Amino acid sequence: MLVLGLESSCDETGVALYDTARGLLAHAVHSQVAMHEEYGGVVPELASRDHIRRLVPLIEKVLAEAGASKEEIDAIAYTAGPGLAGALLVGASFAAALALALGVPALPIHHLEGHLLSPLLSADPPQFPFVALLVSGGHTQLMRVAGVGAYELLGESLDDAAGEAFDKTAQLLGLGYPGGPALAKLAAAGTPGRFKLPRPMLGSGDFMFSFSGLKTAVLTAVRERVLTEADQADLAAEFQEAVTEVLTVKALAACHATGLATLIVAGGVGANQRLRERLDAAASTAGVRVHYPEPALCTDNGAMIAFAGALRFQAGLAEKTGARCGAFTIRPRWPLAMA
Ligand code: KG4
Ligand code: ZN
């Protein structure tokens, strides 16, 4: 079965072809970072318009790379939410129209399900059940994953997501957008501990997070005095230590509480090297194995959507998922446990 995947929930247009017998045949991503950069963040209307421009060329590219024709497509999987409504509408309506023209079903996929299943695309995939730490720009969640479509929320952020905290803190330090990678780079040049930032909810005894206070603490430090470049690097390093410590401790506590020895990490913040170092170290002490997606599949992409769609078909979940020909849904707000 050949599945075309379309991702357009935010500022990346992702397209991919996944074949259930042969695996991932091709994938391509267009990032809008350069376009949004001058505004310091994603401008939703510009994002939607750019998705419209990019979809057809990207689809042609992956079809050519895979040596396939569009008539060979058996199903289309598209991101139906959560995300920016206008951006989602582009991918969803395109998927529905193409599905109608080809006479195949269009399957709405939850964006976080795509992230969460993406480590299964790697050469050494994890086995169900596992704990998933989802850390993206919009979400910070710990889930217990029993199988495809079986997601139990263990805990999540009460306010800012981890990626959002990185982005906002980067902005406070005068770094560009997207802030996560820029802040991580600055942190590598700094020494943590010179500035003291809190470890929010570290001892809360549950799997909830809160990151908005950290950003405020950074703001206070920035306002107190003029920071030298070295100060900024030290502050960035301390911020990164605070976020990665809380994420690591809670992720391992979730493994302990569920009795599971497999942890997967997905979403853009999962690309953070310091987070990986800490998780790997803590996991090896606890006898837990950590799986990450391939580097190219950490941030938003179409491969994870095509793959999630294919797994849903294979698991017999297409009908429950709402597979249709010529109709579409978007759900800008959509809890993963309901997917
Ligand atoms: O999963 P993703 O690509 O998009 C969403 O679904 O949100 O995640 C994007 C988020 C952004 O907040 C970005 O700053 C963050 O991931 N990010 C990072 C790093 N790379 C991306 N945060 C920290 N360190 C990184 N290396
Ligand atoms: Zn994402």
Side-chain angles (χ1 to χ4, degrees):
M1 174 179 205
L2 184 63
V3 181
L4 172 72
L6 304 179
E7 156 63 35
S8 71
S9 65
C10 189
D11 57 349
E12 261 110 19
T13 320
V15 174
L17 280 168
Y18 181 83
D19 185 89
T20 47
R22 293 181 293 159
L24 184 63
L25 301 185
H27 87 104
V29 176
H30 173 80
S31 167
Q32 303 177 351
V33 161
M35 185 179 74
H36 297 297
E37 207 171 12
E38 63 176 296
Y39 304 98
V42 179
V43 183
E45 181 60 24
L46 293 181
S48 312
R49 290 175 191 218
D50 202 59
H51 288 308
I52 296 174
R53 275 194 290 273
R54 305 292 171 185
L55 272 173
V56 171
L58 285 173
I59 291 172
E60 283 170 351
K61 187 172 174 213
V62 297
L63 282 169
E65 247 176 71
S69 70
K70 57 182 184 304
E71 287 71 28
E72 290 170 62
I73 296 169
D74 296 305
I76 302 173
Y78 64 93
T79 304
L84 301 170
L88 290 167
L89 273 172
V90 175
S93 55
F94 190 98
L98 183 59
L100 186 65
L102 297 175
V104 300
L107 198 64
I109 296 295
H110 195 292
H111 180 80
L112 294 180
E113 178 177 46
H115 276 305
L116 184 143
L117 296 174
S118 62
L120 293 162
L121 271 168
S122 62
D124 176 23
Q127 304 285 315
F128 295 115
F130 51 73
V131 170
L133 172 65
L134 286 172
V135 272
S136 70
H139 294 83
T140 300
Q141 299 188 330
L142 276 163
M143 314 272 319
R144 184 185 189 283
V145 181
V148 177
Y151 312 121
E152 182 198 339
L153 183 67
L154 299 173
E156 63 185 331
S157 178
L158 296 168
D159 42 56
D160 292 355
E164 191 179 357
F166 265 93
D167 292 337
K168 288 178 174 171
T169 301
Q171 214 165 26
L172 291 175
L173 294 175
L175 307 170
Y177 154 89
L183 190 98
K185 195 167 164 223
L186 182 64
T191 310
R194 206 163 67 75
F195 290 90
K196 296 263 183 285
L197 294 178
R199 301 314 191 240
M201 297 187 78
L202 187 63
S204 64
D206 56 19
F207 305 115
M208 306 306 276
F209 301 89
S210 167
F211 292 114
S212 67
L214 263 180
K215 168 196 66 196
T216 314
V218 170
L219 180 64
T220 309
V222 169
R223 282 192 177 151
E224 257 167 17
R225 61 187 162 91
V226 179
L227 298 180
T228 64
E229 253 172 59
D231 290 338
Q232 290 208 336
D234 290 347
L235 191 52
E238 174 68 4
F239 170 84
Q240 183 172 258
E241 285 305 296
V243 173
T244 56
E245 181 176 344
V246 177
L247 291 175
T248 302
V249 168
K250 297 228 173 187
L252 269 301
C255 292
H256 185 73
T258 53
L260 298 177
T262 308
L263 171 68
I264 71 105
V265 183
V269 184
N272 186 276
Q273 280 309 319
R274 184 62 186 137
L275 177 63
R276 290 186 174 209
E277 270 169 36
R278 295 188 83 132
L279 282 171
D280 289 344
S284 91
T285 312
V288 168
R289 185 126 183 250
V290 195
H291 292 259
Y292 304 92
E294 302 288 337
L297 303 183
C298 268
T299 48
D300 292 350
N301 64 84
M304 66 184 194
I305 303 303
F307 182 57
L311 290 185
R312 282 202 163 242
F313 270 106
Q314 284 183 315
L317 290 173
E319 205 160 304
K320 181 190 164 215
T321 308
R324 276 187 205 90
C325 178
F328 62 88
T329 1
I330 62 154
R331 302 184 67 177
R333 290 178 172 272
W334 186 10
L336 178 56
M338 313 285 286

